[in-house]
Amino acid sequence: MSVTACPACGSPRLKNYRPSRRTGRNNFRCRGCGLVGWSDRADLVLPDTVGLDEISVEERAAWVASKRDHAAEAAQVEVLDELGARLEGGPQGRLLYDIGTGDGQFLAVASKRGYQVRGNDLMEANVVLAAQSHGVEVDLGDLAFLDVPAQDAVTMWCVLAHVADPEALLQSSFDLLKPGGTLFLQTPRRSKVDSAALRVSAAARGRMSRWVDRRIAPHHWHLHTAQSMSAALRAVGFVDVEVIPRARYSLNSGAYLASLGVPARAAGAVGRTTDRLIDRGWAPRIVLEAYARKPGTLAAPAAVPAVEQVPADGGSTGGEPKGPKPGGLAAAG
Ligand SMILES: [Zn+2]
């Protein structure tokens, strides 16, 4: 079975590309909103959960360690500030739920900024890691089967492009929010490079598809445009939708190019140049970040959480200034 209607805007007007000669995969583009994706995605069945017998905590921890990087946290802080500005009275004591949260690192950052955090993940190893490494509570399993109270903020970092039914996920995130609550999501964007790569592959009758094969893959099965992302969010009832193209790279460019099959020496040289361009904001904006609000007025937080008396962390020499920390301060002074 293949995709017959656009998963963003519902249009049946899909252009089908020739299959990739490398992978045999078929891609489509929506003539309505510009979303591109993998046509045969409906065939892929994902497991409900992944147990420790399949991926151990040690394996997961090694993978997390290989990815850790400062750019990710800088982006998280930027997003949390933006999100907090959209919540009446700011983030203090606000409930934030991160769907598909991984090892809980983002929740730890959000917690330091005053949010009451929780999230879910399908991988049991992530649930263990979140508790062990970051002391945050993560629910195991799909949102549809969990009993989660209504939230002030819901976040999703690169989750939408992974799930079989993105419309259902957007609906679940809408349902999870309190009236007036805000959704943030990040998802891969159809950049100019992707459009060019699709044209090249089409002109070469399915050859020269390496870039397209990497960007539109089983685990990342559609790339949104600002238009398609807005349409998808409005379709489930969100208002005040803002979609922003960004150049965010979780790997450095050399590693990313190497993962695309660019030879190491060339990848290193091109990667260093690209990293400089990213720093200056000139690199292809390969992701979209979207904020959207559920209609209604957001009520004040139920209770201001007690200020935790956290001693300076173990290794600290106690030389820190006594000023307010970005985290634990409750609004009541
Ligand atoms: Zn569409």
Side-chain angles (χ1 to χ4, degrees):
M1 196 178 83
S2 61
V3 173
T4 54
C6 173
C9 75
S11 169
R13 295 185 303 125
L14 305 181
K15 172 196 161 61
N16 289 295
Y17 292 96
R18 281 171 183 273
S20 160
R21 295 278 180 107
R22 289 177 71 242
T23 63
R25 291 204 297 263
N26 298 284
N27 293 320
F28 68 88
R29 174 168 56 81
C30 173
R31 291 193 162 97
C33 69
L35 177 130
V36 297
W38 176 33
S39 304
D40 314 314
R41 176 60 180 78
D43 295 340
L44 195 74
V45 178
L46 294 177
D48 290 342
T49 55
V50 178
L52 293 176
D53 51 335
E54 291 164 88
I55 296 180
S56 72
V57 174
E58 292 72 24
E59 284 168 323
R60 196 64 195 165
W63 186 87
V64 167
S66 77
K67 270 198 80 144
R68 181 67 68 240
D69 111 286
H70 285 301
E73 186 162 337
Q76 291 164 355
V77 166
E78 200 180 310
V79 163
L80 286 164
D81 286 349
E82 180 66 41
L83 190 58
R86 287 161 192 263
L87 301 170
E88 183 69 35
Q92 299 300 330
R94 292 290 185 187
L95 302 184
L96 180 149
Y97 200 90
D98 189 42
I99 298 173
T101 197
D103 73 328
Q105 178 268 341
F106 169 67
L107 290 179
V109 174
S111 173
K112 281 187 206 140
R113 303 186 91 74
Y115 290 94
Q116 301 267 78
V117 302
R118 194 166 154 183
N120 78 322
D121 203 86
L122 302 186
M123 205 179 283
E124 198 175 355
N126 278 333
V127 174
V128 177
L129 273 180
Q132 281 179 359
S133 312
H134 301 293
V136 294
E137 190 181 351
V138 171
D139 301 315
L140 177 64
D142 191 292
L143 203 54
F145 306 107
L146 295 169
D147 187 19
V148 180
Q151 302 287 312
D152 300 298
V154 169
T155 55
M156 291 193 273
W157 291 87
C158 202
V159 177
L160 193 65
H162 291 250
V163 300
D165 191 343
E167 288 165 286
L169 180 60
L170 289 179
Q171 186 67 59
S172 301
S173 65
F174 183 86
D175 295 343
L176 185 55
L177 283 165
K178 296 176 189 173
T182 296
L183 169 75
F184 164 80
L185 70 83
Q186 185 189 84
T187 197
R189 168 179 184 252
R190 196 195 97 190
S191 70
K192 286 201 172 74
V193 178
D194 298 306
S195 300
L198 278 162
R199 280 197 300 274
V200 166
S201 179
R205 297 172 182 275
R207 295 194 184 85
M208 302 174 72
S209 61
R210 193 181 285 272
W211 177 276
V212 173
D213 291 339
R214 172 63 161 73
R215 287 278 288 164
I216 307 173
H219 58 282
H220 259 189
W221 74 278
H222 54 80
L223 305 178
H224 268 288
T225 63
Q227 188 189 347
S228 66
M229 193 67 253
S230 299
L233 288 164
R234 291 203 177 92
V236 296
F238 281 107
V239 295
D240 297 343
V241 174
E242 187 180 354
V243 181
I244 311 152
R246 297 261 194 224
R248 302 246 202 244
Y249 295 82
S250 62
L251 298 168
N252 70 49
S253 301
Y256 188 70
L257 291 166
S259 80
L260 291 172
V262 176
R265 261 184 69 184
V270 176
R272 280 189 294 281
T273 305
T274 311
D275 283 337
R276 279 199 292 276
L277 296 179
I278 291 171
D279 289 342
R280 296 176 191 178
W282 293 346
R285 291 175 295 172
I286 59 169
V287 302
L288 288 173
E289 292 182 351
Y291 298 88
R293 193 173 61 79
K294 184 170 178 169
T297 305
L298 190 64
V304 176
V307 180
E308 267 184 69
Q309 295 301 318
V310 186
D313 57 304
S316 165
T317 52
E320 286 181 22
K322 294 281 182 209
K325 289 196 169 187
L329 270 195

